[in-house]
Amino acid sequence: MTTVALKPATMAQALGRALRDAMADDPTVHVMGEDVGTLGGVFRVTDGLAKEFGEDRVTDTPLAEAGILGTAVGMAMYGLRPVVEMQFDAFAYPAFEQLISHVARMRNRTRGAMPLPITVRVPYGGGIGGVEHHSDSSEAYYIATPGLHVVTPATVADAYGLLRAAIASDDPVVFLEPKRLYWSKDTWNPDEPQAVDPIGRAAVRRHGRSATLITYGPSVPVCMEAAEAARAEGWDLEVVDLRSLVPFDDETVSASVRRTGRAVVVHESGGFGGPGGEIAARVTERCFHYLEAPVLRVAGFDIPYPPPMLERHHLPGVDRILDAVARLQWEAQS
Amino acid sequence: MTVMEQRGAYRPTPPPAWQPRTDPAPLLPDALPHRVLGTEAAERVDPELLRRLYAELVRGRRYNAQATALTKQGRLAVYPSSTGQEACEVAAALVLEERDWLFPSYRDTLAAVARGLDPVQALTLLRGDWHTGYDPHEHRIAPLCTPLATQLPHAVGLAHAAHLKGDDVVALALVGDGGTSEGDFHEALNFAAVWRAPVVFLVQNNGFAISVPLDKQTAAPSLAHKAVGYGMPGRLVDGNDAAAVHEVLSDAVAHARAGGGPTLVEAVTYRMEAHTNADDDKRYRGDSEVEAWRAHDPIALLEHELTERGLLDEAGMRAAREDAEAMAADLRERMNQDPALDPMDLFAHVYAQPTTQLLEQEAQLRAELDAEARHHENEHESEGTAR
Ligand SMILES: Cc1ncc(C[n+]2csc(CCOP(=O)(O)OP(=O)(O)O)c2C)c(N)n1
């Protein structure tokens, strides 16, 4: 066995590397969006790509999200694999018409004749002190649209592997990038970056026996921290990182909840009509007889994303997760 | 008998009714951006107006410098400077009557301040204590808009509504060159023209949309040329010439007020600073380009005109600088105080009648804050006993 050299890398670097490798491997992969060329993207994820692959494959588009995604549809129809960047979560909304009316359903309406292998990269979520319209968690809109895959990495290795898988997918993938984790570092082997499991597999990030925290994206590190803190209270928490919201890995999630008998879903988008409701319902349907307590949700408030100086009150933090964990002592309470 | 069977009897005639407009010339912009300063036209401009513009430009530049300094001290989350573009900002504010409305985008704090908004209130979006720190009705300034071009249909709708009500109100909407590529720009212009809405669109073409230069944004001869396709006049103006921008916008506002419908104005200017303090403009443009524009500075242009004609002396310039300095000092001082925030405000303005789930969440946060406060109190007490 050879030992691999692990080096620190950020999630943004791993994403850039995934784009680079995908472009090098497959000449049909094209990157397009606002400021992705000369500037390398406002988060520098596409840094260096224009130099390496030229403007025809790494394109600074006019400033028009519906146009970016709409032209990507046509490019995909003609055999290319566009990877489009939406600059920020809330600026993807002008493109929703294209996403919902065309991208998500082209395969279906053409009886499989016209699949659209498009990857839509969307930096999402709060916690970076962004001004209005720079912190939305829009995953509920995406997962409510049949025909789209929706994935979101929480680690550097997953950022690489999931993005490669998304670009290779013959179906459209909404690739949600947790902005808050762009600069998070991990040790990673940049010389031999690894593919991950196919899209749709969750990962158990921490094993535990007393309850399962089900989470994804920016909330994964928060849950890991909460699990550490919970040890002091005598709780041994398992943390499941979904990685993919669509398809949803019922198997891994149910297996975990059956082992622990208790579950809390954690995400920063609003709870009402949010992904947590769907997840809690699925867990209840599959694990009812194993549950010692109702499945709880810890989510952002049901408010428009607040201004930066107040966002800490909105984002689910360790304390709110621990409170929910305490409420899982259902029998003792009732 | 079908049309095909009729063939022999068919006599071609011109198509009925509709013909394309054959004289778009009145809608087309001039070949070169309109200029006033340094030309004979300048002599016809009211000296008082020139002095007023000058004072506002000097204030505006100082405001930009102060706000940028506040980002370095961590007092502002981010600031998109309009240094170099002050002439557009100031003219946009000054051409409007009190009853008119301004629809700014995120870079247009100066226009809002020149219209009378409190400089601190204008910065709440960028400071991060609330999204819009003022009541839009007070000065008739819509919230500074961050999603690009989305304020343009709002301006059209407001102008249209005012017109329907019989009020002679005009809306002036500001957008960047990049924003003209958005679908909302197209829809807004189209609605405005079809409804003959009393609205003026001012595009500040400052050369870049973050890093993307104009030639990657559009292949149109100019952005003002876009007007002709909608059936409204397009006007091209030197965006660093405050008198020219004021004149062109005044004409457009008067035209709109008189029932003539919308105008698209493109002001050709340049963004002297990076997109925001967080941007690195070295990646996409060279110093020489920036320097070339520095030689066409809006303040210097006007100052030259005024001093040449004896309308401004050293004392006048000093007075303008002192006034700007006082504004900056006041801004600095007030921005250096921590804003008093109430986290319960998170729930205060979501609905007129809060939903049950919001009331629950409100109670949850209240309990958390109370617990936090008790925790701090206990800490203080135990500190006290230890001493
Ligand atoms: C719908 C939308 N897409 C993307 C952005 C991100 N963004 C903010 S400013 C900007 C460039 C705008 O350029 P321009 O319209 O020329 O105005 P300027 O910044 O030059 O004043 C971009 C892409 C946004 N705010 N809204």
Side-chain angles (χ1 to χ4, degrees), chain B residues 163-245:
Chain B
H163 182 68
L164 291 178
K165 281 182 80 176
D167 300 337
D168 68 340
V169 164
V170 174
L172 172 64
L174 302 173
V175 66
D177 43 297
T180 65
S181 295
E182 291 281 2
D184 277 9
F185 173 82
H186 161 72
E187 297 187 22
L189 264 68
N190 195 45
F191 271 68
V194 170
W195 287 349
R196 284 178 84 81
V199 56
V200 176
F201 303 97
L202 172 61
V203 181
Q204 292 181 61
N205 169 7
N206 65 6
F208 292 89
I210 306 189
S211 69
V212 179
L214 190 71
D215 60 359
K216 284 192 183 171
Q217 202 64 249
T218 181
S222 79
L223 295 171
H225 276 81
K226 294 196 172 210
V228 68
Y230 298 101
M232 74 175 76
R235 295 288 167 256
L236 199 52
V237 61
D238 180 338
N240 288 20
D241 178 336
V245 185

Side-chain angles (χ1 to χ4, degrees), chain A residues 34-35 63 65 87 91 94, chain B residues 106-107 146-148 176-179 182 206 208-210 271 275:
Chain A
E34 293 155 13
D35 303 286
L63 212 166
E65 294 75 13
Q87 201 157 70
F91 305 145
Chain B
Y106 62 93
R107 196 182 295 285
T146 308
L148 296 166
D177 43 297
E182 291 281 2
N206 65 6
F208 292 89
I210 306 189
R271 159 161 67 67
H275 169 63

Side-chain angles (χ1 to χ4, degrees), chain A:
Chain A
M1 211 179 87
T2 53
T3 48
V4 291
L6 293 178
K7 294 179 197 151
T10 65
M11 181 179 280
Q13 285 167 338
L15 291 166
R17 178 64 189 271
L19 290 170
R20 194 209 148 267
D21 290 355
M23 295 190 81
D25 286 356
D26 179 351
T28 67
V29 175
H30 282 238
V31 167
M32 53 203 273
E34 293 155 13
D35 303 286
V36 297
T38 311
L39 191 68
V42 292
F43 295 106
R44 304 290 185 266
V45 168
T46 56
D47 201 7
L49 294 182
K51 235 184 216 131
E52 187 170 349
F53 297 102
E55 276 188 34
D56 283 348
R57 287 186 67 198
V58 182
T59 308
D60 275 334
T61 61
L63 212 166
E65 294 75 13
I68 294 168
L69 192 51
T71 52
V73 169
M75 289 165 72
M77 284 176 169
Y78 206 72
L80 299 183
R81 262 176 206 275
V83 183
V84 311
E85 176 174 304
M86 295 288 148
Q87 201 157 70
F88 276 90
D89 32 53
F91 305 145
Y93 300 150
F96 266 40
E97 158 76 352
Q98 288 295 335
L99 190 76
I100 289 160
S101 299
H102 299 290
V103 174
R105 61 176 90 196
M106 191 66 88
R107 175 188 288 278
N108 185 257
R109 63 206 267 240
T110 61
R111 293 177 165 266
M114 193 170 264
L116 294 178
I118 298 174
T119 303
V120 187
R121 296 180 38 238
V122 189
Y124 82 121
I128 60 156
V131 296
E132 195 182 11
H133 303 287
H134 289 78
S135 301
D136 286 17
S137 296
S138 15
E139 60 267 32
Y141 306 131
Y142 298 114
I143 67 173
T145 305
L148 302 174
H149 289 316
V150 184
V151 303
T152 176
T155 68
V156 171
D158 271 7
Y160 180 87
L162 279 176
L163 186 51
R164 291 298 306 265
I167 297 170
S169 166
D170 286 331
D171 278 315
V173 180
V174 175
F175 192 90
L176 299 171
E177 301 177 0
K179 284 190 231 58
R180 173 141 66 110
L181 301 184
Y182 269 141
W183 304 279
S184 68
K185 275 199 176 140
D186 240 332
T187 47
W188 185 56
N189 175 14
D191 301 322
E192 263 175 67
Q194 299 293 309
V196 289
D197 302 334
I199 287 177
R201 298 272 171 77
V204 178
R205 295 280 173 223
R206 183 185 195 283
H207 292 277
R209 283 174 314 172
S210 27
T212 303
L213 301 180
I214 305 167
T215 187
Y216 56 85
S219 294
V220 171
V222 186
C223 285
M224 295 296 281
E225 203 185 324
E228 278 310 305
R231 284 189 350 181
E233 319 267 333
W235 287 88
D236 177 22
L237 300 180
E238 182 144 312
V239 177
V240 175
D241 170 4
L242 294 173
R243 306 204 284 197
S244 166
L245 294 172
V246 182
F248 186 83
D249 186 353
D250 284 305
E251 204 183 312
T252 303
V253 171
S254 305
S256 171
V257 177
R258 286 174 187 202
R259 277 195 301 275
T260 62
R262 294 175 171 89
V264 181
V265 189
V266 182
H267 58 62
E268 66 179 62
S269 75
F272 196 87
E278 175 63 32
I279 296 167
R282 302 181 81 80
V283 169
T284 308
E285 284 165 3
R286 282 167 180 73
C287 310
F288 185 68
H289 293 295
Y290 297 81
L291 285 172
E292 307 283 345
V295 182
L296 300 181
R297 285 170 294 166
V298 176
F301 294 130
D302 299 305
I303 58 175
Y305 198 87
M309 286 185 183
L310 289 172
E311 68 180 343
R312 70 193 167 89
H313 298 290
H314 165 76
L315 292 171
V318 169
D319 286 345
R320 240 171 245 168
I321 298 170
L322 292 179
D323 279 351
V325 168
R327 274 185 286 136
L328 288 173
Q329 287 172 304
W330 188 248
E331 278 163 47
Q333 274 175 12
S334 50

